[in-house]
Amino acid sequence: MQVLDRRAALSIPPLWRLGFRPFFLGGALFALLAVALWGAALAGHPALQPLGGLLAWHRHEMLFGFGLAIIAGFLLTAVQTWTGLPSLSGRPLMALFGAWAVGRLAWFLPLPVVVLALLQLVFAVALVLAFGRMILKARQKHNAPIVVVLALLGACQALTLYGLAVGDDGLQRRGVLAALWLVAALMGIIGGRVIPFFTQRGLGLDSQAPAKPWLMWSLLAGSLGIAALFALDPGQQPHPLAAPLFLLVAGLHVARLWLWYHPGIWRVPLLWSLHLAYAWMAVAALGMALWHLGLLRQPSLASHALAVGAMGGLILAMLARVSLGHTGRPLTPPRAMAWAFALLHGAALSRVLLAGFSSYGLWLAAAGWCLAFALFLRYYAAMFWSARVDGHPG
């Protein structure tokens, strides 16, 4: 049976053997093209006009287009290891990726907004069902929070698209910002599992940093609470009473980083990139606390610390590491990836520190982001459509 299964797996083109392959490739390429288009629009050269306008498209697509693609690739690959069950491959994986790709193209087709919304939601629903089915079948209660957060992300996407359909910018903002903090919740769960493990393996330590379940559960509760605040607040106005929640979340993230820290990480790009990206979560929470206290003028600076620095940074670092491991390669990235990580964090700094004072900060951020993902694609793209170097069928 194992021989037959191996033969069946090897008969599938490499690109469609496991979820990380099409979704990491497609997500990284989309990250490059989407921000390049956004940067051109900021510079006064909008080449394409999506339904609902460029701002609505940008807000939706960086989370539900780019972010959700990478989440799908990671979870559909990791769930096979977690559960011991075969994950999507072959035609079912092609269909799921096709649903994602159609959603990206639909913005630029002459479609009614209702049809656009339905095409967007198909992918989110299918992902929840595909991932949730495996977790349920394996009866893994400890992974149930991930299924719940995925389902809530779909609900936030529905809220965002409803706001687009009725022309309510406030609803769109509420859906997107709530979803951003749900992504933070996922990053807290996944980061808490992989960063200490990767640090131990990368530095050859005898043991990894001690697990603190109360930290994970506290951060999950805090992130879900913040997401609920954004989803339910129609005015999006500062409330001093909300500041303690953000300060608590910032402090919990700092406590985690302190537990994980080892000075050796600065010798290993795959490690310092992960730790720096995670640190942006604390920066974002602190920034929101300052805004609620009236000490920060633009809350979007904190939101972009989370979106560019934390989400973008963690995604790029995880892509660089996970892609090597799952294609059977040594965990030593090309030297150029250190520059890619630096460019990504430089983009975050530009968006957070410079954009509030000069439009050059926006352009520098877009340029740094695009160059970072261009470098990743230059060195990694062929890995996704090529067979594993160790002969494994994955």
Side-chain angles (χ1 to χ4, degrees):
M1 177 63 73
Q2 289 181 352
V3 173
L4 292 175
D5 289 344
R6 178 181 175 82
R7 288 177 179 174
L10 289 173
S11 70
I12 300 171
L15 183 62
W16 306 109
R17 289 180 185 172
L18 208 51
F20 80 94
R21 292 176 173 273
F23 283 109
F24 284 8
L25 177 61
L29 181 60
F30 182 72
L32 170 59
L33 296 177
V35 174
L37 175 59
W38 179 243
L42 293 175
H45 307 288
L48 296 170
Q49 280 296 331
L51 290 170
L54 276 165
L55 179 59
W57 169 81
H58 173 70
R59 287 192 300 211
H60 180 278
E61 289 298 274
M62 294 315 295
L63 274 173
F64 303 113
F66 164 59
L68 201 55
I70 305 302
I71 290 169
F74 178 83
L75 291 180
L76 292 175
T77 301
V79 74
Q80 182 165 281
T81 302
W82 296 344
T83 64
L85 301 172
S87 188
L88 290 188
S89 63
R91 291 182 180 177
L93 181 57
M94 291 181 195
L96 185 64
F97 182 78
W100 174 82
V102 167
R104 312 292 63 79
L105 295 172
W107 286 89
F108 301 96
L109 300 176
L111 299 171
V113 176
V114 173
V115 175
L116 170 69
L118 291 175
L119 290 174
Q120 302 302 322
L121 291 171
V122 164
F123 173 64
V125 172
L127 174 59
V128 172
L129 292 176
F131 178 76
R133 176 186 64 84
M134 294 183 67
I135 296 299
L136 180 63
K137 190 173 182 180
R139 299 181 179 180
Q140 291 192 331
K141 294 181 180 179
H142 64 284
N143 282 319
I146 299 178
V147 182
V148 172
V149 174
L150 275 181
L152 291 173
L153 271 172
C156 287
Q157 185 180 21
L159 177 63
T160 303
L161 292 166
Y162 177 73
L164 178 67
V166 299
D168 189 329
D169 184 73
L171 280 178
Q172 294 178 56
R173 286 177 53 80
R174 287 162 62 183
V176 167
L177 291 172
L180 181 58
W181 283 92
L182 289 174
V183 171
L186 276 180
M187 292 191 294
I189 296 171
I190 303 302
R193 295 181 183 183
V194 303
I195 294 177
F197 173 69
F198 289 171
T199 301
Q200 178 200 0
R201 293 287 299 273
L203 298 180
L205 304 176
D206 293 333
S207 61
Q208 65 185 52
K212 301 289 185 182
W214 67 269
L215 263 176
M216 190 278 287
W217 288 109
S218 298
L219 280 167
L220 176 60
S223 297
L224 292 178
I226 291 171
L229 283 179
F230 278 112
L232 299 173
D233 182 6
Q236 301 295 320
Q237 297 297 316
H239 300 288
L241 292 178
L245 175 58
F246 288 96
L247 287 171
L248 174 63
V249 168
L252 291 172
H253 282 307
V254 170
R256 256 187 162 182
L257 285 167
W258 180 263
L259 283 172
W260 297 341
Y261 181 73
H262 188 285
I265 65 172
W266 302 111
R267 303 192 306 267
V268 184
L270 283 179
L271 295 181
W272 62 251
S273 57
L274 280 169
H275 286 256
L276 278 183
Y278 195 91
W280 281 106
M281 302 238 279
V283 172
L286 177 60
M288 287 305 305
L290 294 177
W291 178 67
H292 279 291
L293 293 172
L295 301 174
L296 184 68
R297 187 178 62 177
Q298 298 181 25
S300 67
L301 300 180
S303 297
H304 281 88
L306 186 54
V308 181
M311 186 181 81
L314 276 172
I315 282 175
L316 188 61
M318 290 289 287
L319 292 184
R321 207 262 189 203
V322 171
S323 301
L324 293 173
H326 282 290
T327 57
R329 290 171 169 80
L331 299 178
T332 305
R335 290 185 179 182
M337 285 308 298
W339 288 103
F341 299 145
L343 283 165
L344 193 287
H345 289 286
L349 286 170
S350 296
R351 184 60 185 85
V352 173
L353 297 181
L354 296 180
F357 308 100
S358 170
S359 60
Y360 289 108
L362 296 174
W363 299 337
L364 283 172
W369 175 284
C370 290
L371 286 171
F373 280 96
L375 281 171
F376 171 78
L377 289 166
R378 163 66 178 81
Y379 289 98
Y380 280 77
M383 297 181 192
F384 300 120
W385 61 71
S386 304
R388 284 179 61 124
V389 297
D390 59 3
H392 190 278

